[in-house]
Amino acid sequence: MNGWTTEYFTIAAALMMFIVGCSLGPWLHMIGIRLPLKQSLALPVGSYCQYCKTQISPFYIGGQLATGSSFAAATYWTADLRELWIAYPLIAILVILSVSDLKYRLLPNKIIFPAIALYVPLRLWIHDLPYWEYAAGFLVGGGILFAVSYISLCMGKPAMGGGDIKLMALLGLVLGLKLVVLALAFSALLGCIFGLILVGLGIINKKTFIPFGPFIAIAGFVVLLFGNQILVWYWGLFSFISI
């Protein structure tokens, strides 16, 4: 199979997974809305369609397209096909958690704990790094945010909730030590830029709470696909500057 044929197959697979992701998007959105309220997730098709008709909004459509685009991007950019077993479930988990955090400022344990239980055997099966790096990523990812949260509480300025800590620990388990540190830095940068833009536009003030979960989700997904390339670029830039 030549390079052009392989590229066509990859594009076709990405387009197919875009459709799959867009189809899953409404269900993931529904889970993110209903799970924190402890509502049943076993909806009849008729009820689900009525739910869709009453809930259509730019946020809903944007989430659907983002889910489809994420599935397509993972399909196109993931070189090791085994890693798609890691990427697809993670996208679904991050979408559900982002919807819940944006709606209720809550990252449910009912999603994060089963996700951790899922990725322990997945990373035992599929791993490019030594096992200890994934374990260290879990501890360091959650540990850094725990330390930040504890210090903030001691100063009387709560910075984030326990859900953010557990989500970053989950990403550490998925990404490993080096990449979870990159994801943490990237999520903080995204949050700062977004917050400054909203403050500058007068939409919020400096004391307004902004859910951090979606920024962690975006950063985690980007780093999952491009983290190693980003690190290579960064160290190359650092070496160039130091010459």
Side-chain angles (χ1 to χ4, degrees), residues 129-148:
L129 303 173
Y131 293 138
W132 71 265
E133 287 209 30
Y134 296 110
F138 177 83
L139 295 174
V140 171
I144 291 176
L145 286 193
F146 177 81
V148 171

Side-chain angles (χ1 to χ4, degrees), residues 4-232:
W4 284 105
T5 304
T6 302
E7 182 71 8
Y8 287 143
F9 271 108
T10 303
I11 293 173
L15 290 174
M16 182 184 69
M17 292 311 298
F18 174 79
I19 296 172
V20 171
C22 287
S23 300
L24 288 175
W27 293 93
L28 300 177
H29 182 277
M30 179 267 293
I31 293 172
I33 294 292
R34 295 178 67 88
L35 185 65
L37 300 179
K38 299 181 180 180
Q39 296 176 343
S40 172
L41 303 180
L43 292 180
V45 174
S47 299
Y48 174 69
C49 293
Q50 183 178 5
Y51 168 84
C52 292
K53 292 178 182 178
T54 59
Q55 294 294 324
I56 292 177
S57 67
F59 171 68
Y60 177 88
I61 297 298
Q64 187 175 18
L65 292 175
T67 305
S69 299
S70 298
F71 271 76
T75 304
Y76 186 82
W77 292 107
T78 300
D80 184 351
L81 294 182
R82 297 181 308 159
E83 284 291 323
L84 292 176
W85 289 93
I86 301 294
Y88 292 150
L90 183 65
I91 292 169
I93 291 163
L94 294 179
V95 169
I96 294 171
L97 292 175
S98 295
V99 170
S100 177
D101 205 21
L102 288 170
K103 182 72 174 179
Y104 306 112
R105 299 181 180 178
L106 178 67
L107 297 171
N109 289 335
K110 289 183 179 180
I111 295 295
I112 296 180
F113 287 161
I116 293 173
L118 170 67
Y119 276 102
V120 169
L122 275 179
R123 270 311 184 203
L124 289 174
W125 172 40
I126 302 168
H127 57 92
D128 291 330
L129 303 173
Y131 293 138
W132 71 265
E133 287 209 30
Y134 296 110
F138 177 83
L139 295 174
V140 171
I144 291 176
L145 286 193
F146 177 81
V148 171
S149 179
Y150 180 77
I151 293 171
S152 299
L153 284 174
C154 291
M155 297 174 62
K157 298 179 180 179
M160 61 193 65
D164 298 320
I165 298 170
K166 286 172 279 192
L167 176 55
M168 190 59 75
L170 168 63
L171 286 180
L173 177 61
V174 174
L175 299 172
L177 179 58
K178 290 184 292 187
L179 292 186
V180 77
V181 173
L182 177 61
L184 179 58
F186 188 31
S187 62
L189 177 63
L190 287 176
C192 288
I193 292 174
F194 187 76
L196 289 173
I197 291 174
L198 293 184
V199 170
L201 293 175
I203 298 175
I204 64 173
N205 58 51
K206 295 180 180 180
K207 295 183 179 180
T208 303
F209 176 83
I210 300 177
F212 192 45
F215 301 112
I216 298 177
I218 294 171
F221 176 70
V222 171
V223 170
L224 177 69
L225 295 188
F226 308 111
N228 289 316
Q229 294 93 316
I230 293 172
L231 287 178
V232 170

